[in-house]
Amino acid sequence: MAQKDRLKWDTKYSDGHHLIEKGEASFMLKRFYHKAPAKRALDVACGTGRNALFLAEHGFEVDALDISPVGLQRLQGHAEQISGAGTVNCQVVDLDEYSPPKANYDLIVVTNYLNRCLIPKLARELREGGVLVIDTFMVDSRSGAQDFNPDYLLRAGELPTYFDGAFEVLAFEDARKGRCNTALLKQAIAVRKIPA
């Protein structure tokens, strides 16, 4: 599966006209990045890195993970142009096999990617007071976009169910219109790990 995914995304990112990762950083990330207690961040399934670049421009040291070497190469080229104090460290990673280090990040962002088994692992990666932002697509029978695999789409109200009393929900939006050239609606959450 990993090789098939890598080829799929390498092909998309090789096309200069792809739209999936162009544009601004996640609206939820832009609302809450400043709540992170320090400047160590992780961008999961970063693609060509719009979120990683935003964070680096705001002084973060960002680990950017993706399965596509082509996407990461494009990100690295843009990262070298950043005038901010931050850095981007690109890593080719198969997220199905990823075992994150515990309590290593002040901020984690995941957009346009859903791996339900990974969400609890990412929550454990946060340092106390750290912020986790997830912003991705959800099931939407009204959209007419029926060619998406439902395994990779959130159900209504699903994101908050992954976080227990150890987390404060800073914001949650369900059924928000997406901006990535797709008819699918999106769901987004920002949570903060409550200090013990």
Side-chain angles (χ1 to χ4, degrees):
M1 183 65 160
Q3 182 65 18
K4 183 178 173 184
D5 286 343
R6 177 175 289 128
L7 291 172
K8 169 188 164 184
W9 289 106
D10 279 350
T11 300
K12 282 189 187 252
Y13 295 136
S14 294
D15 178 2
H17 300 293
H18 76 86
L19 295 174
I20 190 78
E21 287 294 328
K22 289 186 178 178
E24 295 183 18
S26 162
F27 82 102
M28 193 68 85
L29 176 64
K30 292 191 327 189
R31 269 178 70 189
F32 292 104
Y33 77 93
H34 66 281
K35 299 264 187 195
K39 299 277 187 166
R40 181 109 170 88
L42 177 66
D43 185 356
V44 177
C46 65
T48 55
R50 60 195 171 96
N51 294 311
L53 293 169
F54 171 83
L55 290 169
E57 287 169 354
H58 287 86
F60 282 79
E61 177 188 336
V62 185
D63 288 339
L65 311 181
D66 201 88
I67 198 164
S68 171
V70 173
L72 291 172
Q73 184 177 23
R74 291 179 68 158
L75 168 54
Q76 196 64 58
H78 293 300
E80 291 167 5
Q81 312 290 326
I82 291 175
S83 60
T87 60
V88 177
N89 172 36
C90 294
Q91 300 173 36
V92 176
V93 173
D94 177 358
L95 291 168
D96 289 337
E97 306 295 325
Y98 180 61
S99 294
K102 188 175 178 185
N104 199 41
Y105 294 101
D106 304 297
L107 188 146
I108 299 172
V109 60
V110 185
T111 58
N112 300 342
Y113 175 78
L114 179 61
N115 178 332
R116 288 175 172 89
C117 295
L118 190 58
I119 294 173
K121 293 178 184 178
L122 295 176
R124 287 191 300 270
E125 276 191 74
L126 282 177
R127 292 179 177 148
E128 289 187 355
V131 174
L132 171 58
V133 172
I134 302 174
D135 178 0
T136 195
F137 301 107
M138 62 181 288
V139 172
D140 175 28
S141 60
R142 299 163 292 170
S143 73
Q146 304 301 321
D147 57 341
F148 286 81
N149 183 337
D151 292 341
Y152 301 111
L153 300 174
L154 292 162
R155 295 176 301 277
E158 181 176 352
L159 278 177
T161 67
Y162 290 98
F163 303 99
D164 60 20
F167 294 88
E168 171 192 5
V169 176
L170 300 173
F172 172 64
E173 291 196 19
D174 205 9
R176 180 181 61 81
K177 185 157 175 55
R179 293 185 181 177
C180 289
N181 199 30
T182 177
L184 285 175
L185 295 180
K186 295 188 83 180
Q187 193 173 119
I189 197 167
V191 297
R192 185 179 71 92
K193 191 170 193 175
I194 298 170

